[in-house]
């Protein structure tokens, strides 16, 4: 082991690639993956698998799944981290940087353009109708996420209990999302350590049927490339650089603008999110909405739905919705800057602190992932986290539904417990009908998310709320 750590080839990114795939070709492939990365993580991973494994034959099926399993253990968007991982395997650090940046860039530009449209033309009937329709579709999509994730994760009474406890914790007690995730991880880790079969997991993402490409037949082969072997010196060097890129802007904001400035608040808050976004965008959005709407006052509840609608209809990770949250926060509190200028800076800052850590997790941990294979206790922790995420997403669905279907709600409290209930007389019939139509399209007719979103957007424009 010592020899592997101290004598591995430095990851300079300059040596030729034995697999024969040029850096220029890889750039074009990652640009194509980025342009097609619609439909959430499942769709994005399927696109990546089809192009990188089935079509280009860069890596084999088992290596792809092994990399994916590692990315699923990390906070942040697993599809983007998988792109970084494969890019790094193929073309070292430069390859990982290109793959990860291109995966985010189209979504960033698209949501920035939509954000400009939102704040400048949001009062126009057609634009209001468009976002009204998107809200209805998003509500149905979030409910679908509850069903899909729950069907995969809640395999026994222990997982159902964790999901129920997580739901009550966030819905009634308003326990912070990171505390719920940490508690679930500890329960799963200890449960698996005890030998209980209730915490053993399986499954995950699976590829479509057909011939399976073996690692030996792939261009990269089945051996570990020299640059992918553990190299402690390289790991410490790259981690130091990425930590500086991530945290130095926050330190400068704190020192020069102070802790109460909107940019400092945005940078610190979304840096925290980057460390706890287990379970994907749907899971963390409940906590983001709770803090951004109720604590910071950056945006309104229905605007969170508008932002998620943007993220659903543009390429890139769904977590890009955080960019819209930061944009709206600075737009409403620009300080001495022009509101649009402040909002643009906040969008860039939010994206920066959200995605720079993704490169850190991959570059630091990927060379050591062999140590994670077959770790039963770690798998148990992830099973419990996934179960807790189901309860959190259910809370998100109820929260969205409450603020979209009803014009007003009331908070009822009893000691440490509090619950927000709708004022039934404020039910919006157009919202209810369009949401039901979206749910029927998804659950009864099995339509894909993008057609449902586009259909609801058109319906909202011709039937303004």
């Amino acid at each position: 082991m010592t020899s592997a750590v101290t004598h591995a080839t430095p990851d300079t990114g300059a040596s030729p690639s034995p697999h024969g795939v040029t850096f220029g070709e890889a750039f074009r492939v990652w640009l194509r993956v980025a342009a097609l990365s619609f439909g959430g993580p499942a769709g994005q991973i399927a696109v990546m698998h089809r192009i990188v494994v089935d079509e280009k034959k860069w890596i084999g099926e088992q290596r792809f799944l092994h990399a994916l399993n590692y990315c699923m253990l990390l906070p942040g968007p697993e599809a983007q981290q998988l792109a970084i991982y494969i890019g790094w395997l193929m073309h070292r650090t430069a390859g990982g940087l290109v793959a990860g940046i291109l995966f985010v860039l189209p979504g960033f530009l698209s949501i920035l353009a939509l954000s400009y449209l939102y704040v400048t033309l949001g009062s126009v009937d057609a634009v209001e109708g468009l976002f009204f329709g998107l809200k209805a579709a998003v509500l149905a999509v979030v409910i679908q996420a509850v069903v899909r994730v729950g069907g995969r994760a809640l395999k026994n009474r222990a997982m159902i209990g964790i999901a129920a406890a997580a739901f009550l914790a966030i819905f009634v007690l308003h326990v912070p999302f990171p505390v719920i995730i940490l508690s679930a991880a500890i329960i799963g880790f200890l449960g698996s350590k005890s030998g209980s079969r209730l915490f053993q997991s399986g499954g995950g993402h699976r590829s479509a049927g057909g011939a399976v490409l073996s690692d030996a037949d792939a261009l990269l082969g089945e051996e570990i490339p020299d640059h992918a072997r553990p190299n402690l010196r390289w790991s410490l060097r790259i981690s130091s650089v990425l930590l500086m890129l991530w945290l130095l802007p926050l330190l400068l904001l704190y020192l020069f603008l102070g802790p109460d400035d909107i940019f400092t608040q945005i940078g610190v808050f979304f840096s925290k999110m980057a460390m706890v976004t287990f379970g994907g965008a749907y899971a963390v959005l409940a906590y983001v909405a709770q803090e951004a709407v109720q604590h910071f006052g950056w945006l309104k509840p229905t605007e969170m739905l508008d932002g998620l609608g943007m993220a659903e209809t543009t390429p890139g990770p769904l977590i890009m919705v955080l960019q819209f949250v930061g944009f709206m926060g600075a737009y409403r509190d620009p300080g001495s800057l022009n509101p649009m200028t402040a909002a643009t800076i906040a969008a860039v800052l939010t994206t920066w602190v959200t995605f720079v850590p993704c490169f850190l997790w991959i570059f630091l941990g990927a060379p050591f992932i062999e140590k994670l294979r077959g770790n039963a206790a770690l798998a148990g922790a992830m099973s419990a986290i996934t179960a807790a995420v189901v309860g959190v997403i259910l809370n998100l669905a109820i929260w969205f539904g409450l603020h979209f279907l009803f014009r007003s709600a009331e908070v009822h409290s009893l000691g440490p417990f509090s619950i927000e209930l709708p004022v039934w007389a404020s039910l919006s019939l157009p919202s209810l009908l369009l949401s039901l139509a979206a749910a029927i399209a998804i659950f009864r007719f099995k339509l894909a998310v993008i057609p449902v979103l586009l259909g609801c957007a058109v319906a909202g424009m011709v039937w303004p709320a």
Side-chain angles (χ1 to χ4, degrees):
M1 179 60 68
T2 302
S3 175
V5 170
T6 56
H7 295 97
T9 303
D11 186 7
T12 63
S15 61
S17 302
H19 47 66
V21 179
T22 66
F23 193 84
E25 180 184 354
F27 183 92
R28 292 189 292 272
V29 167
W30 291 119
L31 193 61
R32 180 182 166 200
V33 168
L36 297 174
S37 60
F38 293 90
Q44 293 158 0
I45 291 167
V47 165
M48 209 179 314
H49 183 276
R50 175 169 56 82
I51 294 175
V52 172
V53 178
D54 296 337
E55 181 182 325
K56 297 297 181 180
K57 303 186 186 308
W58 284 0
I59 63 175
E61 182 78 14
Q62 289 303 312
R63 192 187 289 272
F64 182 91
L65 292 177
H66 180 52
L68 175 58
N69 287 337
Y70 172 62
C71 295
M72 290 175 66
L73 297 175
L74 302 173
E78 61 206 45
Q80 189 237 5
Q81 290 169 334
L82 180 60
I84 298 172
Y85 189 105
I86 297 174
W88 167 76
L89 269 180
M90 296 295 293
H91 292 97
R92 305 179 177 236
T93 308
L97 290 172
V98 165
I101 292 171
L102 287 180
F103 199 88
V104 171
L105 189 59
F108 169 78
L109 296 175
S110 300
I111 290 181
L112 188 62
L114 288 172
S115 300
Y116 289 152
L117 177 68
Y118 189 83
V119 297
T120 55
L121 300 177
S123 60
V124 177
D125 285 346
V127 176
E128 284 186 343
L130 182 147
F131 283 105
F132 167 74
L134 287 179
K135 290 188 188 90
V138 164
L139 179 56
V141 169
V142 174
I143 294 173
Q144 182 194 37
V146 176
V147 175
R148 186 178 64 245
V149 179
R152 185 174 69 240
L154 307 184
K155 298 296 187 182
N156 55 59
R157 63 182 184 274
M159 297 299 116
I160 294 173
I162 291 173
F167 170 74
L168 293 174
I170 196 168
F171 185 71
V172 178
L173 295 173
H174 308 291
V175 176
F177 175 74
V179 175
I180 294 174
I181 292 300
L182 178 60
S183 301
I186 293 173
I187 292 171
F189 183 86
L190 296 177
S192 183
K193 275 287 191 181
S194 71
S196 173
R197 298 187 63 182
L198 295 175
F199 295 89
Q200 294 179 2
S201 65
H205 291 81
R206 297 187 181 186
S207 61
V212 174
L213 178 67
S214 69
D215 291 344
D217 293 333
L219 293 179
L220 190 64
E222 59 184 346
E223 298 297 323
I224 300 177
D226 286 341
H227 73 271
R229 300 180 186 277
N231 184 326
L232 188 58
R233 183 171 59 182
W234 176 79
S235 295
L236 292 175
R237 185 170 69 247
I238 194 70
S239 300
S240 300
V241 171
L242 289 169
L243 276 172
M244 183 183 68
L245 290 173
W246 177 16
L247 300 179
L248 183 60
L250 302 183
L251 178 62
L252 295 176
L253 288 171
Y254 188 91
L255 292 176
F256 288 99
L257 299 180
D260 297 326
D261 185 82
I262 183 66
F263 295 112
T264 306
Q265 291 179 339
I266 286 173
V268 172
F269 178 70
F270 289 113
S271 289
K272 292 178 182 177
M273 289 302 96
M275 294 186 286
V276 298
T277 49
F278 298 96
Y282 290 127
V284 75
L285 272 182
Y287 179 61
V288 171
Q290 185 184 66
E291 293 296 304
V293 174
Q294 299 174 11
H295 178 67
F296 292 108
W298 290 339
L299 72 175
K300 301 173 184 176
T302 54
E303 290 173 340
M304 281 294 300
L305 279 168
D306 293 333
L308 187 56
M310 293 180 192
E312 290 276 13
T313 51
T314 53
L318 293 180
I319 204 70
M320 293 299 300
V321 65
L322 300 186
Q323 173 191 331
F324 175 73
V325 177
F327 180 97
M328 292 301 296
Y331 183 81
R332 293 217 164 95
D333 182 16
S336 61
L337 297 175
N338 174 275
M340 201 68 81
T341 301
T344 304
I345 295 173
V348 173
L349 175 62
T350 302
T351 304
W352 182 266
V353 299
T354 297
F355 289 101
V356 168
C358 296
F359 294 92
L360 173 62
W361 312 144
I362 295 299
F363 289 150
L364 176 61
F368 302 92
I369 63 168
E370 289 301 325
K371 294 183 179 180
L372 297 176
R373 290 189 78 174
N375 190 314
L378 193 57
M382 289 307 301
S383 296
I385 288 175
T386 305
V389 162
V390 176
V392 174
I393 299 176
L394 177 59
N395 170 73
L396 176 68
I398 293 175
W399 190 88
F400 276 172
L402 182 67
H403 290 282
F404 177 60
L405 299 177
F406 299 89
R407 295 185 179 91
S408 60
E410 297 176 341
V411 177
H412 300 267
S413 301
L414 179 63
F417 306 100
S418 66
I419 184 170
E420 191 175 13
L421 296 176
V423 175
W424 290 96
S426 69
L427 176 66
S428 168
L429 186 59
S431 299
L432 177 63
L433 292 177
L434 195 52
S435 297
L436 286 175
I440 291 171
I442 287 176
F443 290 100
R444 175 66 178 85
F445 296 102
K446 309 297 183 184
L447 294 185
V449 170
I450 295 300
V452 174
L453 286 161
L454 294 178
C456 287
V458 172
M461 294 173 70
V462 300
W463 181 22

